[in-house]
Amino acid sequence: MRAIIGYGNSLRGEDAFGLDVIKELQKLSLKETKLISAHQLTPEMVLELQEADEILFIDTCHDEKNRYALACSLTEQNGLNLSHHISPKTIIYMLKNLYAKFPDFFIYSMMSGSFDVIEDKRRYRESVEIVSRHLECY
Amino acid sequence: MKTIVIDPVTRIEGHAKITIDLDCDGKVEDAKIHVTQYRGFEKFCEGRFYTEMPAITARTCGICPVSHVIASSKAIDEILAITPPQAGINIRKIINLAQIVQSHALNFFHLSSPDFIYGFDAPKEDRNIFKMMQTHPQMAKDGINLRAFGQKIIETLGGKRIHPTGIVPGGVAKRIEESQKQIILEQIPDMLKIAQSALEFFKTNLHKFQKEIDAFATFPSLFMALTNENGTLEHYDGTLCFMDSEGNILKDKINPQDYKEFIGEAVESDSYLKSPYYKPLGYEKGMYRVGALARLNIANSCGTPLADKELKKFKALGGGKPVLNSFYYHYARLIEIIYAIEKIEELLNADETMSEDVRRTSKISKSRGVGCSEAPRGTLFHDYQVTKNGIITALNLIIATGNNNLAMNAGVKQAAQAFIDSKNITDGALNRVEAVIRCFDPCLSCSTHALGIVSSKIEVRDHNKKIIQVIDRN
């Protein structure tokens, strides 16, 4: 089973990228795929990922210079952390160390300079569609 | 004078630094928490339509949004002059208790337990949740399961885990289905076992922390909490009560609508966190504590069997007087988890909870409304003023964490004086200074309405206020 987690704050402009990708994917009938929308990653989320062979995280990444550029990272972007929200790396760490689960994982990020509003709606929508199409065919 | 700065303060929610001022002899003269973030909800909510407030103010926080939605909805209930039907009130209470479970569980299992397992002097590379997952995996899983239990209830009854939309002015958006009730009830025995086992672990290990128990914000202060007519633990309704450190009731049965008569709000130039105080005693003398410790000090009983058994033992620590040691916030939170699980079961089994009548509606009847509830970290106030057309003209929020600001500062100073020696500033000593703040489980993003990352810093300053050491904990 594949799990796709789009996360971000829907009130904070382009931070909603992951959520909007999930909305697009919900219109499709993706087989053996669990779609998860979340404001932020939290520890208990690992319980929903027990059956996942592959986990895809979709997020917005702050980068003033390369706005709307897309990146797919094969390694974790963030360090280990655990406060009231956690990083993808922490999710993977918990799955490995607490539940002996070893899913493959990828992080899809859209670079953004705006967490207030969607500055260029056309380019933003294009990015949402590119990632959605890629995940549909992937 | 020298100053030590702890920046960032770690394993808390939000952005803060601590400065520790040393005198000419290298002794700690003063220590302060500076909350270095600002958001300004009180300002940008002006001009919004009143019905938007629960959704907007929920965004104050990603951890305790339920508290904000409840306080906000209660403020609007006042403006509309309506009382929600009993089923609506009970469902709100269940969601609020579920949040208490998940929030307290996160603090104990994932933020604070590394200190309890490895000790405050353990190397910092070992004193974290990741080490704990390796050495105490079941404990880490228990924390995850309790969190999941609370979050799932919020999602089921409130519509979403974070920023739920199901709590609305006049009640809640939908009733509880029988199948939803059964799913929650089936988990109760396992959740109670986890909570009891965590409390046993904590009590069994308490003897190792006598120094911390004595020096982590252990001093006389007032306590404030909501209380009900029966004097049992209350998180949703009731009136405000102030108790002094001897256990005397200074003032009770305060209608939350009148909070301004009793609570003053001071502002310090070096922090974005307000410093509320008990007005009749004045600034600083009127320092009070809120949250689990205050609630258990003020409540006569919990009103549920397992929690009451534990409350008796807890109250014995104070020898008939309030428990003054902030280290016991951890203890109090664990008892509250047990209480919340028991109370959720009781509320779910109440016939009126299952009624289809969950919401009332009305038109604007008053120009002001105050909503008050007990958030995981303490008493929360939302105070709105509206025009007759429903436009918000003024807004005041007193956030649970803010109520503890004076006590947290006094606690940091006390711990710094107890553990910091300018000739030998150890990581363990600095960790203890941070751990005092962690006792209060502050949510700084919430209380200042922050924009920023979780981080903290400790600065040490000499007698000329020159920074001589900075410990970055990011």
Side-chain angles (χ1 to χ4, degrees), chain A residues 9 44 48 84 93 98, chain B residues 59 106 134 141 147 161:
Chain A
N9 187 336
E44 65 281 2
E48 294 182 62
H84 293 91
Y93 184 96
L98 294 178
Chain B
R59 300 286 174 151
L106 186 78
Q134 291 167 12
K141 284 184 185 176
R147 283 262 311 169
R161 287 178 201 189

Side-chain angles (χ1 to χ4, degrees), chain A residues 3-134:
Chain A
I4 304 177
I5 307 172
Y7 61 104
N9 187 336
S10 59
L11 294 185
R12 297 203 59 198
E14 293 170 0
D15 194 40
F17 177 70
L19 306 178
D20 285 334
V21 170
I22 296 292
K23 277 185 197 163
E24 283 300 308
L25 296 176
Q26 281 168 340
K27 296 174 189 167
L28 310 170
S29 300
L30 298 176
K31 286 182 184 167
E32 293 192 32
T33 301
K34 187 178 207 171
L35 299 175
I36 300 172
S37 283
H39 180 76
Q40 60 198 19
L41 302 178
T42 48
E44 65 281 2
M45 207 174 256
V46 293
L47 297 178
E48 294 182 62
L49 301 171
Q50 299 285 304
E51 306 307 318
D53 306 310
E54 184 179 77
I55 303 173
L56 309 176
F57 297 95
I58 308 169
D59 191 16
T60 311
C61 184
H62 185 252
D63 186 340
E64 295 273 355
K65 290 180 184 167
N66 299 292
R67 295 176 181 209
Y68 306 105
L70 295 167
C72 173
S73 167
L74 296 178
T75 55
E76 303 97 323
Q77 293 171 315
N78 308 87
L80 284 171
N81 79 318
L82 201 155
S83 62
H84 293 91
H85 61 89
I86 59 180
S87 65
K89 188 171 183 177
T90 306
I91 292 260
I92 299 300
Y93 184 96
M94 291 170 106
L95 283 168
K96 284 179 182 169
N97 287 280
L98 294 178
Y99 302 98
K101 304 286 182 187
F102 304 90
D104 293 329
F105 67 98
F106 301 93
I107 300 170
Y108 288 73
S109 302
M110 183 193 75
M111 306 305 140
S112 167
S114 171
F115 288 79
D116 293 326
V117 292
I118 297 173
E119 286 193 336
D120 187 331
K121 288 185 181 166
R122 184 185 60 79
R123 292 181 72 190
Y124 179 84
R125 283 309 307 172
E126 270 176 14
S127 298
V128 169
E129 280 162 24
I130 288 168
V131 172
S132 306
R133 274 203 307 274
H134 177 75

Side-chain angles (χ1 to χ4, degrees), chain B residues 3-10 12-21 30-38 268-275 401 405-406 408-410 412-413 433 437 442 444-445 447-448 450 453 455-461 465 467:
Chain B
T3 299
I4 304 170
V5 179
I6 304 178
D7 187 0
V9 179
T10 56
I12 60 166
E13 167 51 38
H15 207 61
K17 74 172 182 179
I18 298 168
T19 55
I20 302 170
D21 290 333
D30 199 6
K32 276 190 172 174
I33 308 162
H34 308 272
V35 179
T36 53
Q37 52 190 31
Y38 176 75
E268 291 285 351
S269 59
D270 53 15
S271 179
Y272 283 117
L273 191 56
K274 291 191 285 194
S275 301
T401 292
N405 195 16
L406 288 174
M408 284 196 292
N409 272 290
V412 162
K413 183 177 175 181
V433 175
I437 303 177
L444 301 177
S445 301
S447 51
T448 61
I453 57 167
S455 63
S456 64
K457 188 191 275 185
I458 303 178
E459 285 179 6
V460 188
R461 300 191 300 197
K465 303 273 182 191
I467 295 172

